[in-house]
Amino acid sequence: MEYKNNITEFILLGLSQKKEIGILCFLLFLLCYIAILSGNLLIMISISCSQLINQPMYFFLSYLSLSDLCYTSTVTPKLIMDSLLTKKSISYTGCMTQLFSMHFFGGIEVFILTGMAYDRYVAICKPLHYIVIMSRQKCDAMIAASCAGGFLHSFGQFLLAVFLPYCGPNEIDHYFCDVYPLLKLACTDTRKIGFLVIANSGLMGTVIFVVLLISYAVILSTVRSYSIENRRKALSTCSSHITVVVLFFAPLLFIYIRPATTLPEDKVFALFYTIIAPMLNPLIYTLRNMEMKNAIKKVWGSILRSKGNRLRDFPAFHHPTS
């Protein structure tokens, strides 16, 4: 029996159908998005305009901020606008584009986090070979590999969703287009496709998460032989990475490691990796990092002083002599 796709748009049910909650969500997520934009742009500009860009850890951090910014921008702006709408619709093409772009930037972020863990492993466990192993060419290659890995992952998810026949109801019980809610709408048996989604997202995420935990366990074991000052510095850096990894991976695995089913809690857990993690990452990486704090003060202090000098040189600031 052949199935034809007669769906031209999907209706997103969002987080709530109540108008009062919608207004509250609009204000809350608008503030969150402003915080995400300002925080991640602050890190990107501060690193790019300082000597920190020459250090692999901060080189990766600038790209992590960029991927955070792109990742949340695939979901959050529409969530903000939809919070005030009664009918939250998205075209079929828009839905598939959102699914692809979200998994693309999310996949890049996962691989960049892996690269950051490898950087810390080499820095702490093989310090004498660090400069050779983590050269700029290799860092560039790791970023390129992260983009390629993100593309392959998202393209796989896209193919699984785009060839499904949608011929029945078009209501997605979520605030963005994702594979599991779409499988629920497909008018065909999706059990085999569900297993492919688990392999592409859940299994991949689990393997990377376990590898990250093992690498940090090795790092923590190594720093036990360090002096108190060096141990404190290493633990401070690693604790930031571990916090970000857990904050991003825990809700992600909750959704994608299980069989292809949707739960009411999925929308709440999705908020963690689409909005909360990108918002908190700049704080996590700067609050306990003196190098990052100093770079922010130096770069933005220089910018403010430069603007102040230009204003003083402006003709309007010079009083005519009598």
Side-chain angles (χ1 to χ4, degrees), residues 137-188:
Q137 291 79 10
K138 289 184 180 178
C139 289
D140 289 337
M142 290 171 72
I143 293 296
S146 297
C147 293
F151 176 80
L152 290 175
H153 163 70
S154 61
F155 190 63
Q157 298 290 79
F158 174 77
L159 288 179
L160 293 176
V162 77
F163 288 118
L164 286 174
Y166 304 100
C167 50
N170 65 337
E171 289 187 343
I172 297 176
D173 189 16
H174 217 307
Y175 61 89
F176 63 87
C177 287
D178 204 4
V179 180
Y180 278 168
L182 288 173
L183 290 182
K184 195 175 179 181
L185 299 182
C187 46
T188 186

Side-chain angles (χ1 to χ4, degrees), residues 4 51 55 84 114 159 171 212 220 226:
K4 291 184 179 180
Q51 293 298 318
Q55 298 183 36
L84 299 177
T114 308
L159 288 179
E171 289 187 343
L212 290 174
L220 293 176
Y226 281 24

Side-chain angles (χ1 to χ4, degrees), residues 118-130:
Y118 179 69
D119 169 70
R120 290 300 85 201
Y121 168 78
V122 176
I124 294 172
C125 299
K126 298 182 179 181
L128 298 178
H129 304 285
Y130 180 73

Side-chain angles (χ1 to χ4, degrees), residues 110-111 113-114 117 201-217 241-254 257:
V110 166
F111 290 116
L113 286 171
T114 308
S201 291
L203 188 60
M204 182 191 78
T206 302
V207 170
I208 292 176
F209 184 56
V210 170
V211 169
L212 290 174
L213 291 181
I214 292 173
S215 67
Y216 285 120
H241 291 309
I242 294 170
T243 303
V244 170
V245 166
V246 172
L247 192 63
F248 186 80
F249 274 90
L252 202 69
L253 294 179
F254 172 81
I257 199 61

Side-chain angles (χ1 to χ4, degrees), residues 245-319:
V245 166
V246 172
L247 192 63
F248 186 80
F249 274 90
L252 202 69
L253 294 179
F254 172 81
I255 293 176
Y256 291 109
I257 199 61
R258 66 171 191 262
T261 56
T262 56
L263 300 174
E265 296 84 4
D266 287 353
K267 289 185 277 189
V268 177
F269 277 93
L271 288 173
F272 276 90
Y273 58 82
T274 56
I275 296 177
I276 296 175
M279 182 178 64
L280 294 182
N281 284 356
L283 289 175
I284 294 170
Y285 280 114
T286 55
L287 284 179
R288 300 178 61 186
N289 191 318
M290 286 306 299
E291 284 185 313
M292 196 68 236
K293 287 180 183 178
N294 292 334
I296 291 173
K297 289 177 183 178
K298 186 176 180 180
V299 170
W300 293 97
S302 176
I303 292 173
L304 291 175
R305 283 193 299 272
S306 177
K307 285 187 176 181
N309 292 335
R310 283 201 296 269
L311 286 174
R312 282 195 298 271
D313 293 338
F314 196 70
F317 285 83
H318 293 282
H319 297 286

Side-chain angles (χ1 to χ4, degrees), residues 47 52-53 55-63 119 285 289-292:
I47 292 175
L52 292 182
I53 192 65
Q55 298 183 36
M57 184 178 79
Y58 296 104
F59 174 80
F60 287 124
L61 179 56
S62 65
Y63 276 98
D119 169 70
Y285 280 114
N289 191 318
M290 286 306 299
E291 284 185 313
M292 196 68 236

Side-chain angles (χ1 to χ4, degrees), residues 10-14 16-17 82-83 85-90:
F10 295 100
I11 305 298
L12 299 170
L13 297 183
S16 176
Q17 300 296 310
D82 284 350
S83 298
L85 300 177
T86 304
K87 183 183 178 183
K88 307 170 180 64
S89 62
I90 184 171

